[in-house]
Amino acid sequence: MTTTLYTSDHEWLAIDGDVATVGITDYAQSQLGDVVFVELPKLGRALKKTEAAAVVESVKAASDIYAPVTGEVTEINDALAAEPALVNSDAQGKAWFFKIKIADKSELGGLMDDAAYKAHTA
Amino acid sequence: MLARDDRDSLKSTPLHGLHFSLGGKMVPFAGYDMPVQYPAGVLKEHLHTRSSAGLFDVSHMGQIALRPKSGKVEDAARALERLVPQDIVAIAPGRQRYAQFTNAEGGILDDLMVANFGDHLFLVVNAACKAEDEAHLRAKLSDDCIIDSLADRALIALQGPKAESALAKLCAEAPAMKFMDAGPHKVAGIDCFVSRSGYTGEDGFEISVPAGEAERLAKTLLDNPDVLPIGLGARDSLRLEGGLCLYGHDIDTTTTPVEAGLEWSVQKSRRTGGARAGGFPGAEKILAHFDHGAARRRVGLRTEGRAPVREGALLFADATSSEPIGKVTSGGFGPSLNAPVAMGYVPTASSAIDTKLFAEVRGQRLAVQIATMPFVKNTYKR
């Protein structure tokens, strides 16, 4: 059973036990426009919450993706690096960025659920 | 996000309402509320312009008529030559030329188009500079010319391989025009000024139209299924692939036309030994750059990887040196090349095509190579 939570920076986290799969929301991709390049964190990298973890670039601009929680990167989505346009076509599915092993689950307390995120972007 | 007060202080073009009805995503640009893209998105808009035709609202740009007090256009041309290093006298009636206003240090105050309309000159200048340009013209040329700001006109660019056929339906003379021809023409029955030019590297036209008729003309052009509206995002990626300078980024008050690689735009008559050599602001420095070379030069850059190298990225001679040798002034992703493209300034000694350099992006040194511009071959109808 996974739970999906959201940050105010428009990232989603699908939580399964102590591992979170992280991506950007459909709202975020619609704001960015056509994505042409994605830079993912190195496997095994220790990330601190709010640290720049990945980069997503549209034709026009580069945007940082921040670590939503502290933890270690356990998996990265190589398919996304090869096909950045997945961010536009399937932001909350195939276009996940990385998986992170959550160091401190209390950090999840500050995140939004689906209803709160919908209100945030309304 | 802009607060409402900020948005309200922005100026709008005569096509503002049309942008909203077309679903344009509006952003502030040079004091105007302008569409950065439409629902198709930057990538599709860019590719559509290269394969078919794109319509751009460039009404934010300044349109100025220089009317000679003597009634002779060559007097306006001679007067304007005091402010630009171009041969304006030699522009034949019905022709247009690219020019730059220079400052006393040889830098560029703005770049512009100058057309000879027979009894006066017609200028198109950048939106962000137009107030200063007009003040400059009034201060320096008022003895010889009436400086007439044509603020009641819109400017529509129609660019791409199908621009000619799209415009031909509304203006029978359009196909006979050649690159940089410019003059008054009726388009859809409206009195317009049409030039065969643009800012994409593609064949195309710029149409100056009275503000009150602009929306009708734009809608008529957009009724053609070959023509899509194109926002500022794709305008920037198209001009970048075309190797064309963006004022305030690739050229500014600190770059001379020679450093900027714009030697082709300065005719021999204004250079050392020419019939009207010098006599423009900064002539000493600019002619010295022509005669003895400049220390740095604008170049095109291609990357080895997929990561775009953007404006502000520092350039290094190798992967480890601590002193940068240059800087990127424009950069992004080129949709037609499906690869990153950039331009920037490097020492002339390191400016040869194929020279390998490194650009620093997010703390990493990425391999880049100096490349020929334009990145995408232009298709002007000469």
Side-chain angles (χ1 to χ4, degrees):
Chain A
M1 173 75 196
T2 62
T3 316
T4 302
L5 298 173
Y6 302 87
T7 72
S8 55
D9 293 326
H10 308 289
E11 290 138 334
W12 56 265
L13 295 80
I15 318 264
D16 187 359
D18 60 357
V19 172
T21 304
V22 179
I24 69 168
T25 65
D26 195 54
Y27 173 84
Q29 75 75 21
S30 74
Q31 294 297 305
L32 284 171
D34 301 304
V35 172
V36 295
F37 177 75
V38 172
E39 188 175 285
L40 297 171
K42 291 219 160 41
L43 210 57
R45 183 171 155 195
L47 289 169
K48 283 203 175 64
K49 185 181 171 172
T50 72
E51 182 183 356
V55 178
V56 55
E57 301 216 20
S58 68
V59 179
K60 197 83 185 111
S63 309
D64 283 320
I65 307 300
Y66 302 100
V69 290
T70 302
E72 185 190 316
V73 177
T74 58
E75 213 176 320
I76 55 173
N77 187 358
D78 290 321
L80 187 59
E83 197 187 342
L86 278 177
V87 176
N88 298 114
S89 59
D90 197 7
Q92 297 190 210
K94 284 182 194 153
W96 59 276
F97 279 57
F98 57 89
K99 295 186 183 187
I100 185 167
K101 191 170 181 209
I102 305 165
D104 176 4
K105 283 199 130 185
S106 74
E107 285 180 354
L108 299 176
L111 302 176
M112 287 176 265
D113 63 13
D114 204 50
Y117 182 70
K118 279 204 176 81
H120 178 67
T121 53
Chain B
M1 286 283 164
L2 278 178
R4 177 158 292 280
D5 287 352
D6 294 338
R7 175 131 285 171
D8 285 350
S9 73
L10 291 173
K11 288 177 277 192
S12 55
T13 75
L15 297 181
H16 196 247
L18 181 63
H19 298 316
F20 273 96
S21 68
L22 293 169
K25 186 174 160 188
M26 307 302 282
V27 298
F29 181 82
Y32 283 80
D33 194 31
M34 297 296 287
V36 66
Q37 64 169 80
Y38 297 91
V42 177
L43 219 50
K44 284 203 182 76
E45 290 171 25
H46 177 116
L47 296 172
H48 186 87
T49 305
R50 292 248 187 266
S51 66
S52 185
L55 182 144
F56 305 71
D57 178 14
V58 289
S59 307
H60 54 314
M61 299 186 79
Q63 303 180 56
I64 302 167
L66 274 190
R67 304 187 195 280
K69 289 185 172 170
S70 69
K72 294 182 199 147
V73 71
E74 55 268 34
D75 291 334
R78 277 180 198 282
L80 184 58
E81 284 193 1
R82 300 202 298 265
L83 304 183
V84 303
Q86 278 70 35
D87 187 336
I88 303 299
V89 172
I91 304 174
R95 294 287 292 164
Q96 174 178 273
R97 186 165 268 182
Y98 173 72
Q100 306 94 31
F101 289 121
T102 52
N103 66 17
E105 291 75 47
I108 300 172
L109 293 168
D110 194 10
D111 61 345
L112 68 152
M113 287 292 188
V114 182
N116 180 344
F117 279 2
D119 59 354
H120 69 281
L121 300 178
F122 174 69
L123 277 50
V124 178
V125 303
N126 280 302
C129 304
K130 67 182 175 186
E132 290 88 342
D133 290 345
E134 245 187 76
H136 187 52
L137 289 165
R138 280 184 209 289
K140 299 289 166 56
L141 304 190
S142 285
D143 286 350
D144 304 292
C145 300
I146 293 165
I147 290 99
D148 191 358
S149 167
L150 307 178
D152 56 347
R153 300 187 76 86
L155 192 63
I156 294 170
L158 186 66
Q159 301 278 294
K162 293 187 179 168
E164 182 187 278
S165 60
L167 190 58
K169 293 188 206 305
L170 311 178
C171 175
E173 302 104 276
M177 294 178 76
K178 289 196 161 57
F179 182 59
M180 290 296 211
D181 279 354
H185 292 279
K186 276 209 192 296
V187 182
I190 306 162
D191 287 315
C192 295
F193 309 143
V194 181
S195 73
R196 192 151 199 169
S197 63
Y199 192 50
T200 58
E202 293 295 321
D203 177 33
F205 301 85
E206 290 193 351
I207 308 158
S208 167
V209 52
E213 302 276 21
E215 183 166 324
R216 180 165 74 85
L217 177 58
K219 280 181 165 166
T220 306
L221 287 164
L222 289 167
D223 280 343
N224 184 328
D226 291 339
V227 182
L228 277 187
I230 312 295
L232 292 177
R235 181 168 162 84
D236 190 51
S237 55
L238 287 159
R239 71 90 199 165
L240 180 58
E241 284 184 344
L244 300 166
C245 292
L246 175 60
Y247 188 78
H249 301 258
D250 309 304
I251 49 175
D252 60 25
T253 53
T254 70
T255 59
T256 72
V258 177
E259 290 172 323
L262 300 173
E263 292 97 329
W264 59 268
S265 74
V266 179
Q267 290 73 30
K268 292 225 158 55
S269 57
R270 305 301 308 277
R271 300 189 198 177
T272 307
R276 292 187 310 288
F280 50 86
E284 199 176 330
K285 179 156 176 193
I286 292 168
L287 294 183
H289 279 182
F290 269 108
D291 297 339
H292 310 296
R296 60 174 187 155
R297 183 163 190 86
R298 181 176 62 96
V299 295
L301 297 163
R302 297 286 302 265
T303 64
E304 269 179 20
R306 300 278 303 167
V309 174
R310 297 189 188 270
E311 181 178 0
L314 296 175
L315 295 166
F316 295 85
D318 55 58
T320 53
S321 55
S322 56
E323 277 302 306
I325 62 163
K327 198 168 162 179
V328 171
T329 51
S330 278
F333 188 80
S336 299
L337 296 162
N338 192 28
V341 278
M343 54 175 93
Y345 283 82
V346 298
T348 304
S350 309
S351 67
I353 301 299
D354 294 342
T355 303
K356 285 190 194 306
L357 300 171
F358 289 83
E360 196 160 271
V361 176
R362 295 181 287 273
Q364 288 177 52
R365 298 275 169 98
L366 305 182
V368 299
Q369 197 164 347
I370 295 178
T372 310
M373 288 193 289
F375 299 105
V376 171
K377 197 176 179 318
N378 61 46
T379 56
Y380 305 140
K381 290 281 157 66
R382 298 203 186 255

